[in-house]
Amino acid sequence: MVTDGAGAGAAMASWSTFSVAVVTVFFLLILPCFSRAQTLSFPFRQPETCGHNQYFDISALSCVRCGANQRRDARGTSCVCIPGFQMIANNGGPDIICKKCPENMKGVTKDGWNCISCPGGLTEEGKCHCPTGHILVERDVNGTVLSQAICKLCDENENSFTVANALGNRCIRCEPTFINTSRSCACSEPNILTGGLCFSSTGDFPPRVISTARYGELVYANLTSCQALGNMCVMNMNSYDSATFDACRLFQFVFENTAGLRTVHSVSFWRQNLPWLFYGDQLGLAPQVLSATPLPTNFSFKGQTQNTKMKFVAASYDVRGNFIKWQTVEGGVLQLCPDTETRLNAAYSFGTTYQQNDAFIFYFIFQCEIPISKILTDFPTPVFYDVYLEYTDENQHQYIWAVPVLNLNLQHNKIFVNKDSNSDKWLLTRRIFLVDALSGRENDLGSQPRLVRIATQISLSIHLVPNTKNGNIYPPLITIAYRDIDIKDPNSQSVKISFSVTYEMNQGDAHVQTDIALGVLGGLAVLSSLLKTAGWKRRIGSPMIDLQTVMKFLVYYAGDLANVFFITTVGTGLYWLIFFKAQKSVSVLLPMPAQENHFVTYVACAFALKALQFLHKLISQITIDIFFIDWERPKGKVLKAVEGEGGVRSAIVPVSIWRTYFVANEWNEIQTVRKINPLFQVLTVLFLLEVVGFKNLALMDSSSSLSRSPPSYIAPYSRILRYAVSTILWLVIGIIQIVFFAVFYERFIEDKIRQFVDLCCMSNISVFLLSHKCFGYYIHGRSVHGHADTNMEEMNLNLKREAENLCSQRGLVPNTEGQTFQIAISDQMRQHYDRIHETLTRKNGPARLLSSSASTFEQSIKAYHTMNKFLGSFIDHVHKEMDYFIKDKLLLERILGVEFMEPMEKSIFYNDEGYSFSSVLYYGNEATLLIYDLLFFCVVDLACQNFILAAFLTYLQQEIFRFIRNTVGQKNLASKTLVDQRFLI
């Protein structure tokens, strides 16, 4: 053996006796006809179902009729003569000849070869019966059959055709090979004695290599010897090496020299009397075996024809080649890892991806660890299995289909061909074992083995037939890998074992459809980004295409491309969730973890690009230009003491700054107002996933139930389904919140955006916003009452007059209600604004009042009043050279989000009934925030497979960015409006 899974050094039998012409003819003529003429299924027969005159052929796994005057033996695997008949020839199986005994000799000797008269009664087998304590003597001292049997001890004094058996309890005829070869019970030279049999030296066989177990069946069709030889080849990993003449090459030698025998069940690889070990070594044969002929059975998840149970059965043999029994593989026959029977049997539930484990490694790689001492106790000798899939045809007849095996340790001329990614080079086999603790024993079979060979990885893969609508599959494939363990201290050593069942289908069409969707939507994203870039160029008043323009286009394209990836991944996830979980007859199977990598990459791209878009919007919002225009005018003059002069003089009554502070504080508060409650969003989604059980929809099984019983097997999660379930819940809860917010909350409780516009009007404050160099928003807040700095009585009176329509309307245009506008200002207007603004922001505003000089403060105050007066006069059309006009946007302009008219000499105010100034707030970017939070949640979950951790980190990042937005936005507000930051609470 080779330690650490390096495979065995032994090899398969040679095909050297074939000529090049024969090989060529076979490859060209037989192989292309494989899928057309050969089927790998046959009726399923149990030994007990064979008739009284039939025996069970352990090689062909079928019932074979015994010859005339014969019946099956006690084990049911061979034929014997019926009572009253003697055997005159025996070549194994049904190949025996029986002759009726005379009337005066109705008994048959124990060996069945002679007739004899019995002193007492007969057994059911027609043999003589002696009283207890006596030994039946059927021959005299010379070996001559007595006419009447005697009940006494055997006489071994003479050389005859009888010898005492190993236990010394009966006399038996010596082996037929001794009699046929030397006409005696001795095998003298030049005859060859090997394995208890005597062969003539003139036989055509390798004398130094072939033993009884290897060659006995070549001449005498010994089925057990054939099976034993096959087992030795399997223990040698079915390997082939032209330079080595070992068990596998001996098996191939026998296979070649029995070409005259018929095949079993029309399978060319299965010769009569021989076990089926190989599928052949022709290039390209493996893909034909695995995908040429679908199984003639259907699988369905739901409905009256529900069929989700895969009935695997195995013909088991001991190491000596004896057929043990037919057995189902349920109950952990092929699974070394211990578990409950329910969980073990879940491996054979169709559609359920199975991973036997007690530890999670990474992305569905599961293993359990078993002590070597337990393995040696449970598997003292190897048991061999030929695995079949049982099914019922349309006539309710039971059939079995041979399951091919891909042994990763198989070597062909010292090359591990089955580890090659090209399936054309694979060599498929049939028989497997789980543990070989026998080959590693030295000298004494009762001693501890020096090493043990263990099947550490077993994978059963099911491949769905393309475009099937009825749940058809190709033959399953067992992939197995062995590892050799050096035994030093069995009590302290252990080995990791894995057993898995995977399902796969051709994902080519799905990938093509995904690529088409990405291509089409990606092209639309380019057009959208170009349109946004053109709109941005119009809004900054720059016709030149420079590096900044290219960077802006890339940022816009990142956001649009993020939406493309998001739409594609959500659509793909919903497709797999709905069509896999809701299907009746199986037509789709979930992508395997390796096939999900493209999908996960798309999700990661969507998140990265959406994060870039989010950061771009965040930076844009915290760098806007904003100014509060105070329309309040002084109400008169007051007497004011003149410091240092000892007298008084009249002065204008100052306008209160508190209204400006109040409006600025309200603006500061609505900067991060959203249409949903982020905490409620996260907790609700987490509650639905973890408590209600929606996460169970993401399990890789056919069940669509939201609950799983604790004793049942829990399949691994599909990353695509986890994403699909998460996104649909997140979007549904988010949309419900937005609808509730818009339909009920804003209408009946509070609408902070409209309330802010009302507050501006009641405070006699207008808001002038510039999100771009030449584009922004205007909230007209001039009071219709002339003054807002008044007492409670006058304020209530003003509100009453307004409610009774006793005053003019609030709109900028007389007799209109329009208070909010999108504005496109001329370049001259912007230059004038910048000149004043430069003086206004020379220092960091009044927030540094205590540390700044009086002259600097006075300059800032002067700049503030200058800006207030300029913007007020601009709104009042005082500056004819910087005038503006008001118009409605065209429908196409609203749809595309761009302005077709460029403000050359006059600025343009567009009526805006949708309060689009909220686009500089969180409120107007809810879609971006919702999708960004969703993608963040999904990316964390896909990486960690933990909804709770994903929910916690999602809420944490929401709070972090909200804090950043509030803090930096507050500083920008204080800097641009001269509102002391200490009043922004």
Side-chain angles (χ1 to χ4, degrees):
M1 290 185 175
V2 182
T3 307
D4 294 333
M12 244 174 27
S14 171
W15 290 82
S16 58
T17 57
F18 280 97
S19 66
V20 175
V22 173
V23 174
T24 304
V25 170
F26 182 84
F27 183 77
L28 294 179
L29 299 182
I30 303 301
L31 181 58
C33 299
F34 172 78
S35 60
R36 299 195 305 268
Q38 186 163 216
T39 177
L40 303 180
S41 68
F42 48 90
F44 181 35
R45 295 288 183 267
Q46 296 273 12
E48 56 269 19
T49 63
C50 296
H52 182 72
N53 62 340
Q54 293 179 322
Y55 80 101
F56 185 74
D57 189 334
I58 64 174
S59 174
L61 300 177
S62 60
C63 297
V64 180
R65 182 179 295 275
C66 293
N69 304 317
Q70 301 174 21
R71 61 177 176 83
R72 63 180 178 182
D73 63 3
R75 293 191 60 186
T77 58
S78 186
C79 295
V80 295
C81 295
I82 62 176
F85 285 77
Q86 70 179 109
M87 182 169 55
I88 61 175
N90 182 6
N91 287 326
D95 194 10
I96 65 174
I97 302 175
C98 299
K99 178 182 178 182
K100 185 175 178 59
C101 292
E103 290 295 329
N104 61 340
M105 293 183 177
K106 294 185 177 181
V108 181
T109 57
K110 287 288 186 180
D111 56 17
W113 286 94
N114 300 98
C115 299
I116 194 169
S117 176
C118 297
L122 298 176
T123 63
E124 293 181 356
E125 292 80 16
K127 309 294 174 60
C128 295
H129 175 70
C130 286
T132 303
H134 291 73
I135 296 176
L136 180 67
V137 177
E138 299 173 327
R139 302 176 185 272
D140 61 13
V141 294
N142 295 322
T144 304
V145 179
L146 301 175
S147 59
Q148 184 175 9
I150 304 174
C151 293
K152 66 177 184 178
L153 298 174
C154 293
D155 188 357
E156 300 181 357
N157 294 330
E158 294 188 19
N159 184 20
S160 65
F161 287 139
T162 62
V163 294
N165 66 347
L167 298 177
N169 58 356
R170 60 191 176 96
C171 300
I172 61 172
R173 182 181 175 88
C174 65
E175 286 288 342
T177 55
F178 286 73
I179 300 174
N180 294 339
T181 304
S182 63
R183 304 302 301 170
S184 69
C185 287
C187 189
S188 56
E189 295 183 356
N191 298 322
I192 299 174
L193 175 64
T194 175
L197 300 180
C198 184
F199 299 99
S200 173
S201 61
T202 61
D204 183 17
F205 61 91
R208 296 180 178 273
V209 183
I210 299 180
S211 65
T212 302
R214 294 176 174 178
Y215 192 73
E217 32 67 32
L218 185 59
V219 177
Y220 290 95
N222 191 316
L223 300 182
T224 304
S225 298
C226 293
Q227 299 295 332
L229 178 59
N231 291 343
M232 284 187 276
C233 179
V234 174
M235 293 164 67
N236 215 16
M237 299 291 95
N238 298 89
S239 295
Y240 170 85
D241 189 347
S242 58
T244 305
F245 208 98
D246 58 3
C248 288
R249 191 168 180 190
L250 259 295
F251 179 87
Q252 200 69 13
F253 175 84
V254 174
F255 185 89
E256 295 169 2
N257 283 274
T258 55
L261 299 179
R262 63 181 177 86
T263 60
V264 178
H265 301 298
S266 301
V267 178
S268 61
F269 320 117
W270 197 353
R271 194 65 50 78
Q272 183 184 11
N273 300 328
L274 296 178
W276 180 7
L277 298 187
F278 302 96
Y279 280 86
D281 60 355
Q282 297 80 31
L283 290 176
L285 180 60
Q288 294 193 50
V289 173
L290 297 176
S291 59
T293 306
L295 263 67
T297 186
N298 303 328
F299 291 94
S300 57
F301 289 159
K302 299 176 178 66
Q304 296 180 349
T305 60
Q306 179 179 0
N307 179 23
T308 59
K309 199 65 179 177
M310 294 185 295
K311 300 177 182 178
F312 287 97
V313 294
S316 54
Y317 301 83
D318 63 17
V319 70
R320 294 176 177 83
N322 296 310
F323 177 79
I324 301 175
K325 62 179 178 179
W326 277 109
Q327 61 185 125
T328 175
V329 298
E330 291 185 342
V333 172
L334 302 181
Q335 297 150 279
L336 293 176
C337 296
D339 210 335
T340 63
E341 185 173 355
T342 301
R343 293 175 180 171
L344 290 171
N345 294 343
Y348 310 109
S349 178
F350 186 81
T352 300
T353 299
Y354 182 86
Q355 304 285 354
Q356 191 177 26
N357 68 291
D358 61 6
F360 173 75
I361 307 301
F362 184 75
Y363 285 145
F364 310 145
I365 299 177
F366 300 88
Q367 295 177 326
C368 73
E369 196 164 348
I370 304 178
I372 295 296
S373 58
K374 176 176 173 57
I375 290 180
L376 295 179
T377 302
D378 294 344
F379 301 92
T381 59
V383 177
F384 300 85
Y385 303 98
D386 291 342
V387 183
Y388 299 86
L389 178 60
E390 179 187 349
Y391 66 93
T392 304
D393 67 0
E394 56 186 9
N395 297 321
Q396 301 303 309
H397 294 157
Q398 286 184 310
Y399 285 82
I400 53 177
W401 190 289
V403 178
V405 175
L406 183 68
N407 188 342
L408 299 182
N409 297 79
L410 184 150
Q411 297 185 60
H412 188 267
N413 290 325
K414 301 186 182 302
I415 299 175
F416 291 96
V417 291
N418 287 345
K419 293 183 179 181
D420 199 294
S421 58
N422 185 3
S423 60
D424 288 339
K425 298 181 180 180
W426 291 352
L427 297 180
L428 301 179
T429 57
R430 283 282 298 121
R431 185 165 293 186
I432 64 172
F433 65 91
L434 299 184
V435 178
D436 177 14
L438 181 64
S439 301
R441 302 180 190 271
E442 297 179 342
N443 302 325
D444 184 6
L445 293 180
S447 64
Q448 176 179 295
R450 184 177 60 85
L451 54 82
V452 59
R453 175 169 290 167
I454 304 172
T456 54
Q457 297 178 26
I458 300 179
S459 176
L460 179 63
S461 57
I462 314 295
H463 197 103
L464 192 68
V465 175
N467 302 320
T468 180
K469 302 298 181 183
N470 300 316
N472 299 112
I473 64 171
Y474 288 122
L477 173 66
I478 296 177
T479 303
I480 190 167
Y482 294 91
R483 181 186 174 193
D484 295 345
I485 307 295
D486 283 320
I487 305 299
K488 297 178 181 178
D489 183 3
N491 295 322
S492 62
Q493 288 180 276
S494 61
V495 61
K496 292 182 178 180
I497 307 293
S498 69
F499 181 90
S500 63
V501 180
T502 59
Y503 297 83
E504 58 182 304
M505 63 175 289
N506 189 347
Q507 300 290 333
D509 291 341
H511 289 160
V512 170
Q513 297 299 327
T514 302
D515 292 341
I516 291 175
L518 288 174
V520 173
L521 295 178
L524 295 177
V526 172
L527 297 178
S528 174
S529 302
L530 289 173
L531 193 62
K532 291 178 181 178
T533 305
W536 173 78
K537 292 294 289 183
R538 176 64 58 86
R539 292 179 175 183
I540 67 171
S542 172
M544 300 297 295
I545 298 179
D546 51 12
L547 180 61
Q548 184 184 13
T549 305
V550 175
M551 296 302 296
K552 204 70 174 182
F553 166 77
L554 294 178
V555 171
Y556 284 134
Y557 185 60
D560 291 335
L561 195 58
N563 294 333
V564 169
F565 280 118
F566 177 72
I567 293 172
T568 303
T569 53
V570 171
T572 302
L574 289 179
Y575 169 83
W576 290 115
L577 177 63
I578 295 173
F579 282 87
F580 177 73
K581 291 291 185 177
Q583 63 186 333
K584 293 183 179 180
S585 294
V586 180
S587 59
V588 296
L589 292 174
L590 291 173
M592 298 178 63
Q595 295 172 325
E596 293 177 328
N597 290 337
H598 285 292
F599 181 86
V600 174
T601 302
Y602 293 156
V603 175
C605 290
F607 169 71
L609 296 173
K610 182 58 68 172
L612 180 61
Q613 181 189 26
F614 168 68
L615 293 175
H616 173 250
K617 287 183 177 290
L618 186 66
I619 294 173
S620 299
Q621 290 184 8
I622 60 179
T623 56
I624 62 170
D625 290 319
I626 182 172
F627 191 84
F628 298 115
I629 306 172
D630 191 353
W631 297 101
E632 197 73 15
R633 295 296 178 259
K635 294 184 179 181
K637 296 183 179 181
V638 295
L639 296 177
K640 182 179 180 182
V642 179
E643 186 178 354
E645 298 181 1
V648 294
R649 66 178 181 181
S650 62
I652 299 176
V653 177
V655 176
S656 173
I657 194 63
W658 286 106
R659 289 173 297 99
T660 302
Y661 284 175
F662 184 61
V663 172
N665 190 67
E666 288 300 313
W667 175 266
N668 183 61
E669 290 182 358
I670 66 173
Q671 288 191 100
T672 53
V673 169
R674 295 184 58 176
K675 297 179 181 179
I676 67 171
N677 186 314
L679 181 59
F680 176 82
Q681 175 81 14
V682 171
L683 293 180
T684 304
V685 171
L686 187 61
F687 173 81
L688 293 175
L689 289 171
E690 294 289 343
V691 180
V692 178
F694 276 92
K695 69 175 183 179
N696 291 322
L697 292 177
L699 296 175
M700 299 179 73
D701 58 27
S702 60
S703 174
S704 55
S705 173
L706 298 183
S707 61
R708 297 290 191 275
S709 59
S712 65
Y713 170 74
I714 305 299
Y717 287 99
S718 165
R719 288 180 288 176
I720 291 181
L721 294 189
R722 285 181 75 95
Y723 178 81
V725 173
S726 301
T727 53
I728 192 63
L729 288 179
W730 194 281
L731 291 175
V732 167
I733 299 303
I735 293 173
I736 290 176
Q737 282 202 80
I738 293 174
V739 172
F740 171 81
F741 188 81
V743 175
F744 179 78
Y745 188 84
E746 288 187 333
R747 181 172 298 182
F748 299 105
I749 299 178
E750 66 172 345
D751 184 347
K752 292 190 175 182
I753 301 301
R754 286 172 174 80
Q755 287 177 353
F756 178 78
V757 175
D758 291 339
L759 176 64
C760 289
C761 189
M762 296 307 300
S763 303
N764 208 14
I765 300 289
S766 292
V767 182
F768 189 83
L769 283 166
L770 288 178
S771 57
H772 298 75
K773 179 181 178 181
C774 297
F775 182 84
Y777 306 92
Y778 173 68
I779 302 174
H780 186 62
R782 175 180 281 183
S783 175
V784 297
H785 309 289
H787 293 279
D789 195 359
T790 184
N791 56 33
M792 181 183 297
E793 181 180 359
E794 187 175 353
M795 179 67 73
N796 289 332
L797 182 60
N798 290 339
L799 292 175
K800 183 177 179 181
R801 292 177 57 204
E802 193 170 353
E804 296 175 353
N805 291 324
L806 299 178
C807 57
S808 61
Q809 295 178 320
R810 295 179 174 181
L812 175 60
V813 178
N815 299 320
T816 63
E817 291 288 344
Q819 293 180 260
T820 56
F821 301 88
Q822 294 182 13
I823 60 175
I825 63 175
S826 63
D827 188 62
Q828 185 180 2
M829 164 64 186
R830 178 68 198 202
Q831 292 177 4
H832 197 85
Y833 176 88
D834 288 340
R835 284 195 296 269
I836 303 174
H837 188 264
E838 182 181 358
T839 306
L840 183 66
T841 58
R842 186 172 299 169
K843 291 291 183 179
N844 197 24
R848 301 175 55 123
L849 179 61
L850 299 178
S851 60
S852 61
S853 64
S855 59
T856 302
F857 174 68
E858 289 177 357
Q859 286 183 350
S860 298
I861 294 299
K862 183 179 179 181
Y864 169 79
H865 288 296
T866 302
M867 179 68 78
N868 190 77
K869 182 178 179 180
F870 167 69
L871 293 179
S873 61
F874 171 73
I875 298 299
D876 287 338
H877 300 278
V878 173
H879 305 282
K880 298 302 179 181
E881 73 282 4
M882 293 183 291
D883 203 359
Y884 67 92
F885 62 94
I886 301 174
K887 68 184 295 288
D888 291 325
K889 266 193 171 184
L890 300 175
L891 177 61
L892 190 58
E893 288 181 313
R894 294 176 183 271
I895 295 175
L896 299 179
V898 297
E899 297 77 35
F900 296 156
M901 185 177 295
E902 186 175 356
M904 301 299 292
E905 297 179 358
K906 291 186 178 183
S907 300
I908 306 173
F909 277 44
Y910 295 99
N911 289 311
D912 180 23
E913 298 176 355
Y915 299 92
S916 60
F917 69 88
S918 61
S919 63
V920 299
L921 308 172
Y922 265 13
Y923 183 92
N925 295 277
E926 187 57 58
T928 300
L929 295 172
L930 185 68
I931 295 176
Y932 170 74
D933 291 341
L934 166 58
L935 289 172
F936 185 93
F937 178 88
C938 291
V939 166
V940 174
D941 176 65
L942 291 178
C944 304
Q945 300 281 289
N946 190 319
F947 286 124
I948 297 177
L949 178 62
F952 170 76
L953 293 180
T954 300
Y955 180 71
L956 180 63
Q957 65 85 22
Q958 286 176 342
E959 291 300 301
I960 291 175
F961 281 113
R962 189 181 67 84
F963 174 78
I964 294 174
R965 175 66 178 84
N966 275 332
T967 302
V968 182
Q970 181 176 304
K971 291 183 177 180
N972 180 68
L973 180 63
S975 173
K976 299 294 177 62
T977 62
L978 285 183
V979 173
D980 196 318
Q981 193 172 345
R982 290 172 293 183
F983 292 100
L984 301 176
I985 57 177

